Amino acid sequence: MTVTTTPPRLSIPLTVDPAVVSARPHGVRHYAGLDGLRALAVGAVLVYHLFPGVLPGGFIGVDIFFVISGFLITSLLMRERSTTGRIDLKLFWVRRARRLMPAIALLVVVCSTAALAVGGDVLVGLGRQVLGAATFSANWLSIAADSSYFNNDAPELFKHLWSLAVEEQFYLVWPLVILLLALVRAWWVRLAIVSAVAVASAVAMFALYTPGDDPTRVYFGSDTHSFGLAAGAALAIIVSRLRPLDLDAGESALQVFARRWLPALGILSLAGLAVSAWAMHDDATFTYRGGLVLVSVATAVLIFAAVIPGATFGRMLDIRPLRYLGVRSYGLYLWHWPIFVLACALVPDEHDPSTSVVIGLGSLAIAVAATLLSYRWVETPIRRHGILGVLRHARLRMRASGSARAAGIAATTVAVLLVAGTVAAIAVAPAATGAQAFIERGKASLGQAAPNQSAPIHGEPPVHPRDLRMPPDPHPVATGPDISAFGDSVMLAAAPALQEKLPGISIDAVVSRQMNKAPGLVDAARASGTLRKVVLIGLGTNGAISADTLEGLLQVIGPDRHLILVSTQAPRPWTDGVNATLRDFATAHPTRVTLSDWRDAIAPHLDLLASDQIHPGARGGAIYADALHQALMKLAQQSSVRVANAWDQAGPRPQ
């Protein structure tokens, strides 16, 4: 998120000694259009988070903020350097801290204490997240913890602070870069150097991104996601070379370009950003191999069209409602996500379509209220007067009247309680979410003997032996040694039940795997001679799939093997499309492909899943294996598979 270099002029009932009033940045000016652009950017992010699936590419709002930040900060530093001959690094960093830290501190203590009251999965990883918020290292700490931004299984309260970490790291380093660039006399050489930084970051994202894998590393990395900041900085160098233009007169090349072409380019760029917010997806290869770079370039062109003196385009973006929201966009970005996570944790059926809309609207309303209160009573006073100035004024007021003293004591008490609540929340935070516990149990079962299926986990009732046995099957079906299974975290969570019911089954399952990986995995197993006669594929939870991928998979397994596809249960926008594709494919190949309908089997028993309504526990895993059994029976009836029935070895189901 970025912040305006010119504090809004609000009437704050605060009087302090002029000696504590902070120095203003040198030559501060207001750039037309930027507040309006901030409002559009934060709006895209809010829709992306609060109303999943409505605006799939709304995450590009963060990249728009990056370009604005790079432009504003570089402009400020260059103006100070040209005006005073130096850059006051200490004052610059103090201004940044005053602007960013108070709102974050308030957010952390309020939401952490609320999470303590809610309990459960929202507390997982809280200590790391608070550390990341305090040190502006959230992006790298998340990468080190292998925490995915795009995986909704772990509802982290402060995972959105990764972007502030990237920006603050930029704020720490960039003033030093500007000082070094000042040693270069030719402005075009400075432009070339900064542009090279942007290109290097974009190339790093392109090179390090692996299609089909979780993109969190390249999305969070300061090295791979700084091209927007550098693009904004490059634009600042260009704008600093331009003299004020009279757009109504003159026929120089620049005047003609600014008058005739730049407004049209700005409108096209704005349209391009709107299309990107609608059509770009966070799991698409194009996004990380050029898409986000194009978003940054379009944003830079849009800013250029807006900030040219006298241009009407900037005034169009600065209409009063947009400017009002843009000035407060920082707070909106901070508050919306943790409030949404807490709301989802409190509502039992948050994945229901109508309920999710209510949660989104309610979270937005609460976030707006929290933003306005924080902006009015915390951010603006501290930004103008500093923490010491605010405390000095508060002390003077408390001495002046009894009511002010009572208010001060109450505020101090609340602050102490919030800090204590945050410490307690960190102390009692569980090590893993319910879903992660199920997954880890599955991982353990693949590395050693299956754990005791009768042992309860996370308060689940023990599994009765009758839940692990099927009725006698008149048709012999495939046994564990006949099956090669490839899946994602759902299959991992169900692995203990699969091993119990099909001893000897081969399971290759990892978290966040997508269907496009399946042909390569199966081909490698076939080439090594380890692929068995029945291939089980449990993928589709983590993204859309295509019929072409399934056709390729069927070709890879060869004509002498049979394919079982597992349907998907997940409250995600692509689930219906995935299941339709799987069902249509199985229908089109009835003698070689069978559907294991996990979704329909678990639908009446969603309480047996983790809170994410995706990952099964022990009893849910038994239902997963039930669905597979039904598919194996159907396969035995319609194909040439005729092997001993391992299901009967468990004995008849007790009555």
Side-chain angles (χ1 to χ4, degrees):
M1 296 292 295
T2 58
V3 296
T4 181
T5 58
T6 306
R9 296 186 177 275
L10 293 182
S11 176
I12 302 296
L14 190 64
T15 304
V16 298
D17 188 331
V20 304
V21 178
S22 63
R24 299 293 183 184
H26 292 276
V28 168
R29 59 172 292 189
H30 172 76
Y31 286 104
L34 296 193
D35 287 333
L37 187 55
R38 284 193 191 94
L40 296 176
V42 78
V45 174
L46 264 60
V47 173
Y48 172 71
H49 281 152
L50 302 183
F51 306 97
V54 174
L55 199 63
F59 60 92
I60 70 167
V62 171
D63 290 85
I64 295 173
F65 278 113
F66 281 172
V67 181
I68 297 174
S69 273
F71 174 75
L72 283 176
I73 296 304
T74 304
S75 298
L76 185 152
L77 293 171
M78 292 176 62
R79 192 173 302 115
E80 180 178 353
R81 177 69 173 77
S82 64
T83 302
T84 67
R86 60 190 292 270
I87 295 177
D88 190 332
L89 295 177
K90 179 181 178 181
L91 183 59
F92 172 80
W93 288 325
V94 167
R95 289 197 303 264
R96 294 297 93 201
R98 283 184 180 179
R99 181 63 182 101
L100 300 176
M101 288 303 297
I104 291 180
L106 179 64
L107 173 86
V108 168
V109 296
V110 169
C111 293
S112 296
T113 303
L116 176 65
V118 172
D121 289 354
V122 295
L123 292 172
V124 174
L126 186 61
R128 166 178 56 79
Q129 296 174 62
V130 172
L131 176 62
T135 60
F136 288 102
S137 59
N139 59 331
W140 292 113
L141 290 179
S142 294
I143 291 172
D146 198 25
S147 175
S148 172
Y149 180 71
F150 304 96
N151 189 341
N152 295 323
D153 299 343
E156 294 188 3
L157 276 179
F158 305 121
K159 73 177 182 179
H160 66 313
L161 298 186
W162 74 271
S163 62
L164 296 180
V166 172
E167 288 198 17
E168 185 62 18
Q169 291 157 27
F170 171 76
Y171 296 154
L172 289 174
V173 173
W174 201 247
L176 304 176
V177 175
I178 294 296
L179 288 174
L180 293 175
L181 289 176
L183 302 177
V184 180
R185 297 183 62 86
W187 74 272
W188 62 269
V189 176
R190 295 196 292 269
L191 176 62
I193 293 173
V194 174
S195 299
V197 172
V199 171
S201 179
V203 170
M205 175 176 278
F206 187 101
L208 293 180
Y209 172 71
T210 301
D213 285 355
D214 189 295
T216 297
R217 165 61 185 90
V218 297
Y219 193 68
F220 276 11
S222 303
D223 52 345
T224 52
H225 207 160
S226 290
F227 45 81
L229 291 159
L235 177 62
I237 294 175
I238 295 173
V239 171
S240 70
R241 296 294 302 174
L242 301 179
R243 297 177 179 177
L245 297 176
D246 182 0
L247 296 184
D248 297 324
E251 293 298 329
S252 70
L254 183 58
Q255 287 172 310
V256 172
F257 172 76
R259 184 169 62 245
R260 296 182 181 178
W261 300 107
L262 197 53
L265 290 175
I267 293 174
L268 287 175
S269 297
L270 184 60
L273 293 177
V275 171
S276 298
W278 178 262
M280 193 174 286
H281 290 265
D282 56 27
D283 60 350
T285 298
F286 170 74
T287 299
Y288 308 98
R289 291 189 166 176
L292 293 179
V293 175
L294 292 177
V295 166
S296 298
V297 172
T299 303
V301 173
L302 180 56
I303 293 173
F304 193 15
V307 302
I308 288 291
T312 58
F313 190 68
R315 295 195 296 271
M316 291 170 54
L317 286 174
D318 261 351
I319 58 175
R320 181 169 296 182
L322 287 181
R323 189 169 181 182
Y324 182 88
L325 289 176
V327 168
R328 293 155 182 80
S329 59
Y330 175 58
L332 284 170
Y333 182 82
L334 285 183
W335 287 98
H336 82 281
W337 177 253
I339 289 173
F340 179 67
V341 170
L342 292 170
C344 289
L346 286 171
V347 178
D349 194 17
E350 75 273 18
H351 300 296
D352 178 77
S354 58
T355 303
S356 65
V357 173
V358 174
I359 292 176
L361 292 174
S363 299
L364 180 60
I366 297 172
V368 169
T371 296
L372 296 179
L373 291 172
S374 173
Y375 184 84
R376 172 65 174 80
W377 296 107
V378 177
E379 298 171 51
T380 301
I382 292 178
R383 186 169 72 252
R384 288 183 173 179
H385 307 287
I387 295 178
L388 294 179
V390 170
L391 292 176
R392 183 179 292 111
H393 173 71
R395 187 173 64 251
L396 293 175
R397 291 193 62 180
M398 290 176 66
R399 291 176 179 175
S401 69
S403 60
R405 186 179 304 112
I409 293 173
T412 302
T413 302
V414 170
V416 171
L417 291 176
L418 289 176
V419 172
T422 300
V423 174
I426 294 173
V428 304
T433 65
Q436 289 168 340
F438 294 156
I439 293 170
E440 291 303 317
R441 180 176 179 170
K443 289 180 179 179
S445 75
L446 296 182
Q448 56 191 35
N452 181 6
Q453 296 295 313
S454 296
I457 180 170
H458 282 268
E460 281 194 320
V463 180
H464 194 280
R466 68 171 173 266
D467 294 320
L468 301 177
R469 296 173 182 171
M470 298 295 106
D473 181 5
H475 300 279
V477 299
T479 64
D482 299 306
I483 303 172
S484 292
F486 303 88
D488 52 24
S489 57
V490 177
M491 185 179 288
L492 262 181
L498 290 175
Q499 291 180 316
E500 177 74 16
K501 294 184 178 184
L502 287 172
I505 185 175
S506 171
I507 300 177
D508 179 354
V510 298
V511 176
S512 297
R513 178 179 282 167
Q514 296 191 15
M515 182 65 79
N516 58 11
K517 294 288 185 181
L521 293 169
V522 172
D523 190 41
R526 184 178 59 82
S528 65
T530 59
L531 189 65
R532 302 174 181 182
K533 66 166 56 179
V534 177
V535 178
L536 174 66
I537 302 295
L539 297 168
T541 307
N542 300 298
I545 66 175
S546 70
D548 290 342
T549 300
L550 298 178
E551 288 287 356
L553 179 61
L554 193 59
Q555 293 180 10
V556 167
I557 69 172
D560 298 328
R561 294 183 177 90
H562 302 272
L563 178 64
I564 296 179
L565 300 171
V566 182
S567 65
T568 299
Q569 160 56 40
R572 294 176 175 172
W574 55 80
T575 301
D576 289 341
V578 166
N579 288 330
T581 301
L582 293 175
R583 183 169 283 104
D584 291 346
F585 189 78
T587 301
H589 303 83
T591 61
R592 297 194 58 199
V593 182
T594 305
L595 183 70
S596 175
D597 208 339
W598 158 240
R599 182 179 188 176
D600 284 357
I602 197 62
H605 311 286
L606 294 181
D607 57 310
L608 300 182
L609 302 177
S611 60
D612 60 3
Q613 293 194 0
I614 296 176
H615 297 92
R619 293 176 65 84
I623 295 177
Y624 188 98
D626 267 357
L628 175 59
H629 170 246
Q630 297 298 322
L632 289 171
M633 289 180 61
K634 183 176 181 181
L635 179 64
Q637 294 170 345
Q638 66 189 18
S639 73
S640 60
V641 176
R642 293 290 185 270
V643 291
N645 186 352
W647 297 86
D648 289 341
Q649 297 173 7
R653 180 192 295 269
Q655 300 297 322

